Amino acid sequence: MKVAKDKVVAIDYTLTVQGDVVDTTAGGEPLEYLHGHGNIITGLENALAGLSKGDSINVQVEPEDGYGEYDEDGTEVHPRSEFPQEVEVGSMFVGETEDGDEVMLTVVEVDDENVTVDRNHPLAGEVLSFDVTVRDVRDASPEELDHGHVHGPDGHHH
Ligand code: ZN
């Protein structure tokens, strides 16, 4: 069975950015996702199509197919009073886009008056290097297809 739309795929992966390991399944369970439903990064999903159980690949994902280009206008200044007392550089908050989507905001500057946050993803603008091994490919259940995501071995998790 090959990786294709509506298959549930289990992968082991290590994500490296500029030589540093940022995320890995090593030492843990493989990641399971429903192929063709945008559950994982576009560039990675496209590269996995057509592979079979046991196949390994290295994929370089450009920012446009990863976490987006870095937006120089992505920072905003807010009054200090809108934030908790303990706010510091590196703190993260959930904000909203104009469309109402959730976005992670990272604090990049704090002074007595203001807090500057950056709405770029921490990996925006980075080339992502994935080392991936396909561990399993199976058909999705009707319920998984209906929901557009994978349900674990114990059934429903949400
Ligand atoms: Zn579900």
Side-chain angles (χ1 to χ4, degrees):
M1 188 176 286
K2 291 188 184 308
V3 175
K5 185 165 167 48
D6 297 342
K7 302 296 184 193
V8 172
V9 186
I11 55 171
D12 278 324
Y13 71 92
T14 295
L15 167 58
T16 308
V17 174
Q18 293 185 16
D20 293 327
V21 173
V22 173
D23 192 15
T24 181
T25 56
E29 293 295 309
L31 172 76
E32 272 200 318
Y33 76 97
L34 181 60
H35 193 85
H37 291 258
N39 290 175
I40 61 172
I41 287 170
T42 310
L44 181 57
E45 187 166 53
N46 291 344
L48 290 169
L51 297 185
S52 304
K53 182 175 177 174
D55 287 347
S56 293
I57 52 167
N58 175 266
V59 189
Q60 304 292 318
V61 178
E62 296 296 321
E64 63 185 75
D65 292 324
Y67 290 105
E69 301 288 351
Y70 187 84
D71 179 3
E72 297 290 347
D73 299 322
T75 58
E76 303 167 356
V77 179
H78 293 276
R80 179 91 167 67
S81 58
E82 290 181 9
F83 290 83
Q85 194 62 37
E86 65 274 18
V87 64
E88 59 186 7
V89 171
S91 299
M92 298 187 81
F93 297 91
V94 177
E96 256 188 14
T97 65
E98 288 174 6
D99 301 329
D101 292 330
E102 283 192 354
V103 60
M104 289 305 295
L105 304 174
T106 306
V107 174
V108 292
E109 199 179 325
V110 179
D111 64 26
D112 291 341
E113 304 277 299
N114 295 307
V115 173
T116 306
V117 296
D118 189 340
R119 58 170 59 243
N120 284 289
H121 188 282
L123 294 177
E126 302 284 4
V127 176
L128 313 174
S129 176
F130 287 96
D131 285 300
V132 187
T133 300
V134 177
R135 293 298 178 199
D136 198 22
V137 184
R138 65 168 170 85
D139 287 316
S141 70
E143 191 186 50
E144 286 172 324
L145 288 179
D146 192 41
H147 287 208
H149 56 230
V150 171
H151 293 158
D154 305 327
H156 221 238
H157 282 289
H158 59 86

